[in-house]
Amino acid sequence: MLIDVDHLLATLTLEEKASLLSGQDFWDTQEVARDGEVLVPSVMVTDGPHGLRKQAAATDHLGLGKSVPATCFPTAAALSSTWDPALLRRVGEALGVETRVNDVAVLLGPGVNIKRSPLCGRNFEYFSEDPFLTGRLAAPLVDGIQSQGVGTSLKHYAANNQEADRMRVSAEVDERTLREIYFPGFEHVVKEAQPWTVMCAYNKVNGTYASEHPWLLTKVLRDEWGYAGLVVSDWGAVRDRVAGVAAGMDLQMPPDGGRGDARVIEAVKRGDLSMAELDLAVRRVLELVARSPQKTGVQPYDVAGHHALAREAAAAGTVLLANDPVDGAPLLPLSGGARVAVIGELARTPRYQGAGSSQVIPTRLDDALTALRAATGVNVPFAAGYTLDGEDNGSGADAAALLAEATSVAKAAETVLVFLGLPKSYESEGFDRSHIDLPAEQVAVLQAVAAVNPRVIVVLANGSVVATAPWREYAPAIVEGWLGGQAGGSGVVDVLLGKVNPSGRLAETIPLRLEDNPSFGNFPGEYGAVRYGEGVLVGYRWYDYRELDVAFPFGHGLSYTTFGYGPVTATVTGEGAEVRVTVKVTVANTGDRAGAEVVQVYVGDQSASVLRPKRELKAFEKVMLEPGESREITFDLDSRALAFWHPLLKRWTVEGGAFEIAVGASSRDLRGTVTIDVIGEDISLPITSLSSVAETLAHPVVGPKLSALIKGRVSKSLAVMLGDMPLESVADFGIMGIDRVGLETFLTS
Ligand code: BGC
């Protein structure tokens, strides 16, 4: 059906227009009909992000009701660990196909909030602690989905980094931190992929609800980043509907029984909201409907092909954290004839997605135990070891029996695969975790198994990091499988058997202790406010700045082959806002298997007028290399890779000086470093009577004048003491030899 947006805007009544600004039901936009003729059809939007949750009957936003079967792809925690934009594009295409064939117009995702704390209950749905990686992976996912003629919803904008009090809490974040850490994921996806919709967060940002925040929704999102699509509320995020429309929040979901629409109508009649403001929001809803595909009735798609892609992605997102030699050789990959045993309920009953609105009904479900038996043709011995239905194994007697069975199975095997992870009750949308430990009874099983057989490989299933330090000594090999989607079981087995050479890398640091995390003490806040006191030092930026040891660093992940790095070179062209840096390095596969290396480029400003992280990820590339093969890789960095958000000038700024360019296999495994000199922008601030003596002396024009003025009057040591004093105070004290009037003349001449 052809939608003539301009004609509709000119002819719809005020009431009809207002009705379009909220849904018709939980998942559909409002239809407008006159005398039985549909003027504006409704379109369906539905979760997201890693699979389609199309509810045919009862509706909810907590993952309670049933939905149609759909491929459950790996969660963002696993997808981000692939560091593979091309793979995310392909996953996106498949998600787009399933969205389209189910007559859904918009898939509600991806979620690009930063993993500020490992405690956030929804970290499984988010990509990384790093904004650059987040944006570079989410953009191709959005592109892939939208390539199928359906839309996405980039969520939750902005600063929704916890579940605790998420519908009310005010994230108290300084602008520089927003611009450098919490925005760039959104900014990059908006600029590169233009998601059809952006979903505003529930929470407040610096005291104002995101759903009624003009600076967030209009100034930054639209005026600065050029966003042309629609803003939809998170489900139930609207407080003041009229303020929302004025701020740029177009579509309220789900509907509120007409309350919001009535307020909008009243406000327009009273003149509190202009018709132009209303029309802008209505236009965006109409444009969304106009670009949405016509409903064709549910169509088939390649279910088996999508399952295979989910398996490929799960294997690619699996991170080999450790593979220490035991008896002179690493335990992984498992050799063909290895007599292995499997311990752990999670091998049989996989945990493969998180709980809440993202929960989909999978088309198939692979568990690792069945996959391992099928792949090896051996009835691999198994013991559950623990249960998943509660905090502990039930009665002491049951626990003892499970433990005894596990140790006897482990003892008889050559090598033991111990599957551990977080039960469903540990992490979910809606609440945060209170610690990052595995269940104690699982650790007890691991300990008991290791005591009878030290050849232990731990395979983890969790949506956000778990502390490995408490049990690291019992596990020479550790494989992080995350919540790997419906083919997570077979995907991880592909890695264990070496059918897939692991190439996953950590998108978040695994700290030694929760207490080391930068947000510790400030998370999740109290009395309705959460202070982002760590500022830009989020994730590895903090651990590096504080020189803290970590369990496994950001960017880390092992392979079954080895890679060598040649010398790093960096060439600077241009200066200031036009500066570009070309970084080159040759990487070689020095082992005997084909494998992929993720080459990471980190930039550090050696001396800056603001606190800057020691190093920040600014480029990466995943390179597949045959044994003995080497390749030169070139990275082009633009000025943004060097810039910081100047808190006073309120713009991206390249400050001149030395920058360190480090290339490596993780944030802590830097294989080559070069220092470049960059000519910066003029960032001298205007000098006023309230400028300090030090600021004035540093100014290229006024500085020499002041030096000349105070020469002979102010000794060097006195100048240091006066450094932080405003000029007018120094004038008042008579130290400069001029009074305020003289100062005024001095500053204006
Ligand atoms: C979640 C969103 C989700 C929406 C609809 C909300 O509770 O925060 O991510 O898309 O529900 O289910």
Side-chain angles (χ1 to χ4, degrees):
M1 170 176 181
L2 203 68
I3 309 269
D4 183 341
V5 173
D6 289 324
H7 177 73
L8 283 166
L9 278 174
T11 52
L12 291 177
T13 65
L14 172 61
E15 288 69 22
E16 286 166 340
K17 286 180 180 177
S19 77
L20 281 168
L21 298 190
S22 54
Q24 165 171 300
D25 55 39
F26 215 80
W27 301 120
D28 294 283
T29 62
Q30 179 65 48
E31 176 187 278
V32 177
R34 274 189 212 154
D35 306 325
E37 187 203 346
V38 175
L39 303 182
V40 184
S42 76
V43 298
M44 185 176 205
V45 303
T46 200
D47 289 307
H50 55 266
L52 191 76
R53 190 169 73 93
K54 182 187 176 186
Q55 294 187 308
T59 51
D60 68 89
H61 61 301
L62 300 170
L64 307 174
K66 287 243 179 292
S67 49
V68 300
T71 310
C72 179
F73 285 96
T75 58
L79 284 179
S80 60
S81 302
T82 68
W83 290 59
D84 189 343
L87 180 60
L88 270 92
R89 160 100 199 181
R90 286 166 57 217
V91 170
E93 286 166 7
L95 285 166
V97 166
E98 294 191 31
T99 306
R100 176 101 195 215
V101 300
N102 277 290
D103 274 342
V104 173
V106 175
L107 186 71
L108 300 175
V112 292
N113 296 104
I114 292 296
K115 300 186 195 207
R116 176 176 178 238
S117 164
L119 296 179
C120 173
R122 224 173 163 180
N123 273 1
F124 68 89
E125 253 187 276
Y126 300 142
F127 288 81
S128 177
E129 66 189 21
D130 181 82
F132 181 85
L133 183 63
T134 297
R136 277 2 186 230
L137 294 176
L141 186 72
V142 167
D143 249 343
I145 296 170
Q146 296 196 162
S147 71
Q148 301 307 307
V150 292
T152 53
S153 199
L154 191 66
K155 63 192 191 183
H156 310 88
Y157 181 63
N160 177 186
N161 309 99
Q162 63 189 55
E163 291 300 285
D165 203 18
R166 69 170 163 157
M167 297 188 87
R168 299 181 309 183
V169 75
S170 176
E172 303 288 322
V173 206
D174 65 87
E175 182 177 357
R176 184 179 158 221
T177 299
L178 285 172
R179 298 281 188 169
E180 292 190 22
I181 303 292
Y182 296 99
F183 281 176
F186 290 97
E187 178 185 1
H188 182 74
V189 179
V190 163
K191 287 180 172 169
E192 295 299 313
Q194 280 289 343
W196 286 15
T197 80
V198 166
M199 188 186 292
C200 75
Y202 284 124
N203 50 282
K204 301 185 195 105
V205 178
N206 294 323
T208 304
Y209 280 108
S211 61
E212 49 199 68
H213 209 303
W215 181 74
L216 270 187
L217 302 182
T218 295
K219 166 92 177 37
V220 174
L221 179 66
R222 292 185 159 113
D223 299 348
E224 292 184 24
W225 300 343
Y227 181 56
L230 165 137
V231 174
V232 59
S233 71
D234 198 346
W235 266 233
V238 171
R239 298 278 166 243
D240 181 334
R241 185 66 190 110
V242 175
V245 175
M249 211 294 287
D250 309 305
L251 176 63
Q252 169 174 12
M253 289 299 281
D256 62 2
R259 206 174 49 236
D261 301 353
R263 297 239 163 95
V264 168
I265 294 167
E266 271 165 42
V268 172
K269 285 185 177 159
R270 270 203 316 268
D272 293 346
L273 189 70
S274 71
M275 196 50 118
E277 286 170 308
L278 174 72
D279 276 357
L280 198 55
V282 175
R283 172 180 289 282
R284 294 190 191 119
V285 175
L286 291 173
E287 283 172 350
L288 174 70
V289 175
R291 75 203 307 198
S292 297
Q294 304 272 334
K295 292 190 177 165
T296 53
V298 174
Q299 305 286 320
Y301 67 95
D302 180 6
V303 176
H306 285 192
H307 184 78
L309 177 59
R311 178 173 178 166
E312 182 189 338
T318 297
V319 185
L320 179 61
L321 292 176
N323 198 13
D324 300 344
V326 181
D327 307 327
L331 298 181
L332 287 169
L334 294 170
S335 62
R339 276 187 309 104
V340 295
V342 171
I343 309 288
E345 185 58 51
L346 282 161
R348 177 170 66 177
T349 311
R351 186 150 172 271
Y352 58 98
Q353 65 174 331
S357 61
S358 66
Q359 203 165 302
V360 305
I361 307 283
T363 59
R364 281 171 56 178
L365 183 57
D366 295 349
D367 66 86
L369 181 60
T370 308
L372 186 66
R373 285 175 174 166
T376 56
V378 176
N379 190 23
V380 176
F382 169 75
Y386 55 86
T387 63
L388 288 172
D389 46 16
E391 294 285 311
D392 56 36
N393 288 336
S395 74
D398 289 350
L402 283 168
L403 198 65
E405 187 196 6
T407 44
S408 99
V409 167
K411 210 172 184 171
E414 188 186 331
T415 303
V416 208
L417 288 160
V418 184
F419 284 74
L420 305 175
L422 298 179
K424 209 172 162 182
S425 60
Y426 272 57
E427 56 180 348
S428 167
E429 178 179 345
F431 64 88
D432 295 321
R433 292 190 290 171
S434 54
H435 61 79
I436 58 170
D437 293 322
L438 285 173
E441 71 275 13
Q442 291 191 20
V443 177
V445 171
L446 170 64
Q447 221 170 329
V449 164
V452 298
N453 187 341
R455 296 174 60 84
V456 170
I457 300 160
V458 165
V459 183
L460 292 170
N462 45 286
S464 181
V465 295
V466 293
T468 52
W471 45 265
R472 174 71 177 93
E473 63 187 289
Y474 309 113
I478 308 175
V479 175
E480 175 57 88
W482 304 111
L483 303 181
Q486 67 180 45
S490 47
V492 92
V493 165
D494 289 342
V495 169
L496 296 173
L497 295 176
K499 280 193 198 160
V500 172
N501 190 351
S503 63
R505 301 290 185 264
L506 287 179
E508 53 193 303
T509 309
I510 304 183
L512 285 172
R513 315 173 314 147
L514 173 65
E515 290 81 349
D516 294 341
N517 179 263
S519 69
F520 189 78
N522 274 330
F523 179 99
E526 57 252 325
Y527 292 119
V530 49
R531 212 163 56 86
Y532 285 41
E534 69 282 6
V536 296
L537 297 179
V538 173
Y540 65 90
R541 288 164 167 78
W542 168 269
Y543 299 113
D544 287 351
Y545 196 79
R546 303 289 305 265
E547 297 184 352
L548 291 172
D549 284 339
V550 298
F552 295 103
F554 175 81
H556 169 78
L558 303 175
S559 165
Y560 296 148
T561 187
T562 48
F563 299 98
Y565 286 63
V568 174
T569 63
T571 320
V572 184
T573 50
E575 58 185 62
E578 303 305 319
V579 73
R580 294 198 90 86
V581 185
T582 307
V583 181
K584 285 184 194 284
V585 67
T586 297
V587 178
N589 182 342
T590 48
D592 54 10
R593 268 172 193 263
E597 173 71 324
V598 179
V599 185
Q600 304 162 36
V601 179
Y602 293 89
V603 175
D605 191 347
Q606 302 289 78
S607 64
S609 58
V610 292
L611 181 157
R612 294 203 70 182
K614 269 196 176 165
R615 66 185 65 91
E616 300 180 89
L617 182 75
K618 295 297 174 185
F620 66 91
E621 192 167 324
K622 191 164 195 172
V623 216
M624 184 71 196
L625 294 169
E626 294 298 321
E629 189 186 350
S630 64
R631 191 163 326 143
E632 187 186 61
I633 307 160
T634 303
F635 300 95
D636 279 316
L637 307 181
D638 61 12
S639 66
R640 183 71 181 265
L642 310 182
F644 67 90
W645 181 265
H646 198 294
L648 298 179
L649 296 174
K650 295 200 177 291
R651 62 170 167 84
W652 293 104
T653 308
V654 176
E655 200 170 17
F659 287 78
E660 187 186 272
I661 310 285
V663 177
S666 87
S667 60
R668 294 262 168 118
D669 181 8
L670 305 173
R671 305 291 182 88
T673 301
V674 286
T675 303
I676 53 168
D677 265 312
V678 170
I679 301 172
E681 298 168 59
D682 175 12
I683 56 168
S684 43
L685 296 165
I687 299 297
T688 69
S689 64
L690 273 175
S691 297
S692 72
V693 169
E695 285 161 1
T696 311
L697 286 172
H699 192 274
V701 180
V702 196
K705 274 173 57 189
L706 182 64
S707 286
L709 181 73
I710 61 177
K711 200 166 172 211
R713 292 179 169 275
V714 176
S715 66
K716 265 196 179 159
S717 56
L718 182 56
V720 173
M721 284 173 70
L722 298 178
D724 278 341
M725 215 181 259
L727 292 176
E728 61 181 38
S729 306
V730 183
D732 288 350
F733 293 134
I735 305 171
M736 269 195 302
I738 49 175
D739 59 12
R740 284 205 185 205
V741 179
L743 177 62
E744 222 30 65
T745 317
F746 171 80
L747 289 176
T748 47
S749 62

